[in-house]
Amino acid sequence: MTECPALVQVFEDNVELGKRLCSFVKDRYDEAVASRGKFHVAVSGGSLPKFLKGLSKRQDIDWTKWWVYFCDERFVPNDDPDSNYGALKQVLLDDISIPDCQILKINSSVSVEEAAKEYENKMREQLPTMDLDLALCGMGPDGHTCSLFPGHALLSEDSVDVAPISDSPKPPPKRITMTYRLLRKCHQVVFVVTGESKVPMVVSSLHDDLDKTTPAGRVRPDSGKLFWFLDSKAAAGLPDRSATPATN
């Protein structure tokens, strides 16, 4: 087996995890602004946005330097309950001052294929190199991340950075998603995974070979860093539950 080259940190509970994640994001923001004057970050949906709520209390962030994207998005209006943008808006965006034009949202008024092309093109306008400073990813109980599901053809997609999907095994069926081609370009990727239902997939993601691992386990930046933030329940199946500090 080939170990996943990730730095793993285990937290006793979600409160501790959320605090450390917010500090980690702030550190990455500082690095990005120092190097290129902006911070380009992608966020997943699911339970991940709630861990970012603590950022709204910080007084040492210039939100005008943030550019926010979504690792995947459901093909629904932005005010739909299924919207990943809506989830982040509710827990964070409504309480901070990122200019709306710097939050890249899906256009659900066109076809899902056109929406994916438009999203990639607009992202490229703001970030021509498509090298995100940070991608915050989650993982489902089946091992999927973004909208990259086990056994799906998109796992082999390497011609675009953002792809449409019309047959998601998880509703809603139509979505757009960042592909491995884009995730490989990221400077840093963090997986946030909690709960005992994720134990088998965490073990596979961190210890199985690339051809056998989960979709989440296949996310490995070409030259960037990879981190996994786990709560103690999700980490219960790891042979060594002690954490490698997720620092610079």
Side-chain angles (χ1 to χ4, degrees):
M1 293 191 295
T2 303
E3 295 287 324
C4 176
L7 297 174
V8 179
Q9 191 158 13
V10 179
F11 302 91
E12 285 304 314
D13 56 44
N14 289 354
V15 173
E16 184 185 356
L17 192 158
K19 289 179 180 178
R20 182 64 185 93
L21 180 64
C22 288
S23 295
F24 184 91
V25 172
K26 169 59 167 57
D27 290 344
R28 303 293 78 75
Y29 153 82
D30 287 339
E31 291 174 354
V33 171
S35 70
R36 59 181 175 188
K38 298 178 180 179
F39 178 50
H40 295 272
V41 57
V43 183
S44 291
S47 62
L48 195 148
K50 70 180 183 182
F51 290 105
L52 302 175
K53 188 173 181 62
L55 287 169
S56 65
K57 301 176 182 178
R58 301 202 63 126
Q59 303 298 315
D60 52 355
I61 293 176
D62 181 353
W63 296 108
T64 66
K65 298 185 181 298
W66 281 53
W67 295 80
V68 178
Y69 313 91
F70 294 90
C71 295
D72 68 326
E73 181 58 281
R74 288 81 178 270
F75 188 61
V76 296
N78 291 316
D79 59 356
D80 189 279
D82 282 334
S83 168
N84 286 341
Y85 160 74
L88 187 64
K89 181 175 185 293
Q90 184 177 9
V91 300
L92 180 63
L93 298 178
D94 280 347
D95 297 323
I96 58 178
S97 53
I98 299 176
D100 188 66
C101 63
Q102 292 172 203
I103 304 169
L104 186 53
K105 300 178 284 290
I106 193 172
N107 178 7
S108 62
S109 68
V110 298
S111 70
V112 68
E113 291 79 14
E114 286 300 314
K117 291 179 183 178
E118 180 180 299
Y119 201 92
E120 178 171 337
N121 290 338
K122 287 187 174 181
M123 185 176 176
R124 198 176 296 278
E125 289 175 6
Q126 306 302 331
L127 186 62
T129 50
M130 299 294 276
D131 59 330
L132 290 162
D133 296 302
L134 178 63
L136 297 168
C137 298
M139 182 182 70
D142 62 350
H144 85 269
T145 190
C146 304
S147 284
L148 301 169
F149 292 93
H152 197 278
L154 281 184
L155 299 183
S156 301
E157 175 57 65
D158 202 42
S159 63
V160 296
D161 288 321
V162 180
I165 176 172
S166 297
D167 57 349
S168 166
K170 182 179 179 182
K174 291 186 177 182
R175 303 154 174 248
I176 65 171
T177 184
M178 293 182 176
T179 64
Y180 289 121
R181 192 176 88 162
L182 177 51
L183 294 170
R184 287 196 300 267
K185 301 174 191 176
C186 294
H187 291 281
Q188 305 211 14
V189 177
V190 178
F191 278 92
V192 178
V193 183
T194 63
E196 58 188 11
S197 67
K198 310 290 181 65
V199 168
M201 296 300 105
V202 167
V203 173
S204 175
S205 298
L206 293 175
H207 293 287
D208 284 348
D209 293 334
L210 272 177
D211 60 344
K212 297 178 181 178
T213 191
T214 66
R218 292 177 60 177
V219 176
R220 303 189 182 185
D222 286 338
S223 58
K225 295 180 180 179
L226 176 65
F227 303 88
W228 281 68
F229 281 22
L230 309 172
D231 73 352
S232 56
K233 293 180 179 178
L238 297 179
D240 181 4
R241 291 176 56 187
S242 61
T244 301
T247 61
N248 298 341

